[in-house]
Amino acid sequence: MTGYSSIDPKIDALVPSWLTLPDAAERLDVEVTRVRQLIKEGQLIAVRRGENRVLMVPADFIGTGKVIKGLAGTLTLLRDDGFTDEEALEWLFTADPTLPGTPAQALRENRGTEVKRRAQALAV
């Protein structure tokens, strides 16, 4: 899934804020090459945005010095369900009143078990 596509404006609007790869690297206290490796390994999603088609990751995916807990596993489940990166972003940032909030918020709040359960249920 490393073909970085430009993001659909509707999905782009769901994500509250974005980080460039250098900004993400700074937050994670790693080199930009490590952020690229995380993307390549499927632990993060990056898309091209804006006029300059700059590669960016959702800011909500980066916690204090690390990628938020449960994100990599959730992304793996969604990909196994046949989700593209864009569809995964849409699912992660679409509010679910039964959660409550978005799956991305739930992951940030350490409610990953419920998010993964829902991601697994999508495959059924």
Side-chain angles (χ1 to χ4, degrees), residues 7-19:
I7 190 164
D8 178 286
K10 182 181 78 136
I11 297 170
D12 191 353
L14 291 173
V15 180
S17 61
W18 294 89
L19 295 171

Side-chain angles (χ1 to χ4, degrees), residues 45-76:
I45 292 177
V47 294
R48 295 206 177 273
R49 298 182 64 244
E51 283 182 33
N52 298 335
R53 294 183 34 80
V54 176
L55 205 51
M56 301 183 105
V57 297
D60 283 356
F61 288 173
I62 311 292
T64 311
K66 61 185 188 288
V67 174
I68 58 169
K69 184 179 172 203
L71 178 65
T74 302
L75 291 176
T76 299

